[in-house]
Amino acid sequence: MSPSAEEEVVDLARDLIRIDTTNTGETATSAGERAAAEYVAAKLDEVGIAAQIYESEPGRASVVARIEGSDPDRGGLVLHGHLDVVPANAADWSVDPFSGEIRDDYLWGRGAVDMKDMDAMILALVRQWAREGRKPPRDITLAFFADEEAGSIHGAHWLVENHPEWFDGATEAISEVGGFSVSVTDDLRLYLIETAEKGIEWLRLTATGKAGHGSFTHEDNAITTLSEAVSRIGRHTFPLVLTDTVRRFLEEASDALQIEFDPDEPELAIAKLGPIARIIGATLRNTANPTMLDAGYKVNVIPGSATAAIDGRVLPGQEREFLATIRELAGPGVTVEPTMEQIPLETTFDGALVDAMADALRFEDPGARAVPYMLSGGTDGKALSRLGIRCFGFAPLRLPADLDFASLFHGVDERVPIDGLRFGVRVLDRFLSRS
């Protein structure tokens, strides 16, 4: 007898974690995406779901498949995940980050929450439906992308540009970083549905000066000029901007916490949210964090140029103001060049799909209260939105009240509760049956 999706999801997630799909940002040093794509395609083919693998570059592989729904006149739904993960330094971990070890009722490993858990939930569920001969109400496109962790250029964006036919007719999509619980009381949990995400503005700052001997008096030093610019940018606090999504979340959270919401001081409400406050706090304003510096080649030689990288994250509607502020802070003698620009997203928290999410959560957890929120990072939804697809983060997990979930994304000892994986499968089953 074939295992159910609940029974199979842990093994699928474990197998995926054991495939090292580290994405360094460079094809030459990244690994494993092709092997993971072949694994997923084989699991789909095994139950009669025809899968197609595409490579944007050798090894940078994504998988797509189509499941026919019972009502072809309805708009389609995209279920998507990414197969790559960020690097992990094994010396920092309590377990081998690619072992898929089960310990203390958790599945440990790089990708356990970002996002091989959701990949496994999707895979387990569609395999069960295929074995049972069940059809979803609407057409479903399955997509398992490469390269999300480095901007999706070799994955979702490449598929959208080169094979958009796979997404024809799709009106909505669900994926990662949403649907997880934040405990308020023993009887009340907020489940955060991602309806918005900040845009990406990765920037290169370059200062030039006169090269020379390190022992000379030197007023035109590129490193000094660049360092002053980086310091101004890194210490700058952008003004508060409450988007519709963030305001709605804070109103809902304040009501659940039984505190008064003050839109002029939203940090008061955020401070009561526990560890998740770091994600929410970053959605109150634009941010710009210096992340890399490069200058010089010898201690006694003043270089002619110096560069820095800035990770900028931008609220919807703030793109022009953000860049103008960065250029002003950089000052004269420093050029500001975007190296990656991807749009912010925001949709409304309404409609039949949202109702189906909330219903599925409440069915499995009577203490569930679905609320919208904005993600401070970005997802493959940015690529799909270019096709007019409405994107949500909905990878449902009921989490222990004391788990610092936010720290697990790209963090040491990344892990997901076993019960949470099985909960997610049950929620997705009900959601997809009624969406």
Side-chain angles (χ1 to χ4, degrees), residues 410-431:
H410 299 189
V412 173
D413 288 342
E414 184 179 348
R415 60 198 183 277
V416 64
I418 298 296
D419 286 346
L421 285 171
R422 293 172 177 151
F423 171 87
V425 166
R426 296 194 302 272
V427 171
L428 285 177
D429 192 354
R430 185 173 182 86
F431 164 71

Side-chain angles (χ1 to χ4, degrees), residues 212-229:
H213 200 290
S215 68
F216 295 167
T217 300
H218 210 95
E219 295 181 357
D220 186 19
N221 188 315
I223 293 179
T224 302
T225 301
L226 180 72
S227 298
E228 291 169 344

Side-chain angles (χ1 to χ4, degrees), residues 161-415:
E161 291 166 4
N162 291 275
H163 294 283
E165 66 276 8
W166 281 98
F167 310 103
D168 284 350
T171 56
E172 295 156 315
I174 66 165
S175 189
E176 61 176 329
V177 206
F180 57 91
S181 67
V182 175
S183 295
V184 179
T185 67
D186 290 344
D187 300 319
L188 175 60
R189 278 159 294 282
L190 300 180
Y191 282 82
L192 279 60
I193 311 299
E194 189 223 299
T195 59
E197 58 186 54
K198 294 175 84 172
I200 297 173
E201 286 284 352
W202 290 351
L203 307 170
R204 180 186 295 113
L205 272 57
T206 304
T208 58
K210 186 177 181 180
H213 200 290
S215 68
F216 295 167
T217 300
H218 210 95
E219 295 181 357
D220 186 19
N221 188 315
I223 293 179
T224 302
T225 301
L226 180 72
S227 298
E228 291 169 344
V230 167
S231 180
R232 287 191 295 269
I233 291 169
R235 296 187 185 282
H236 180 71
T237 300
F238 287 84
L240 173 71
V241 178
L242 283 186
T243 63
D244 291 343
T245 297
V246 173
R247 180 183 288 271
R248 172 78 180 273
F249 170 80
L250 290 173
E251 290 172 346
E252 295 268 11
S254 297
D255 180 68
L257 293 164
Q258 297 183 338
I259 61 175
E260 185 176 350
F261 170 57
D262 183 351
D264 294 324
E265 294 189 85
E267 288 92 347
L268 297 177
I270 290 174
K272 298 184 181 296
L273 294 173
I276 202 68
R278 280 175 290 170
I279 292 178
I280 304 302
T283 63
L284 296 180
R285 48 178 52 87
N286 299 326
T287 58
N289 286 305
T291 53
M292 298 173 68
L293 293 168
D294 185 26
Y297 56 91
K298 197 170 186 293
V299 70
N300 62 344
V301 177
I302 297 170
S305 66
T307 62
I310 304 292
D311 183 351
R313 305 293 173 135
V314 188
L315 294 169
Q318 291 285 305
E319 296 95 317
R320 285 187 179 181
E321 183 174 338
F322 174 82
L323 284 173
T325 300
I326 293 293
R327 290 193 167 100
E328 182 180 349
L329 290 168
V334 178
T335 61
V336 178
E337 175 192 2
T339 58
M340 181 179 291
E341 295 182 292
Q342 294 189 10
I343 58 172
L345 303 179
E346 188 166 31
T347 188
T348 53
F349 190 61
D350 56 18
L353 195 77
V354 170
D355 292 342
M357 292 177 191
D359 172 76
L361 288 167
R362 282 193 302 268
F363 186 84
E364 293 297 331
D365 178 4
R369 179 171 174 176
V371 298
Y373 91 108
M374 177 182 289
L375 177 64
S376 58
T379 72
D380 286 323
K382 293 185 186 303
L384 296 175
S385 72
R386 296 163 57 192
L387 300 175
I389 296 172
R390 191 178 176 209
C391 298
F392 297 87
F394 187 63
L397 290 172
R398 179 170 174 173
L399 301 170
D402 60 351
L403 180 65
D404 183 357
F405 189 59
S407 72
L408 299 179
F409 286 87
H410 299 189
V412 173
D413 288 342
E414 184 179 348
R415 60 198 183 277

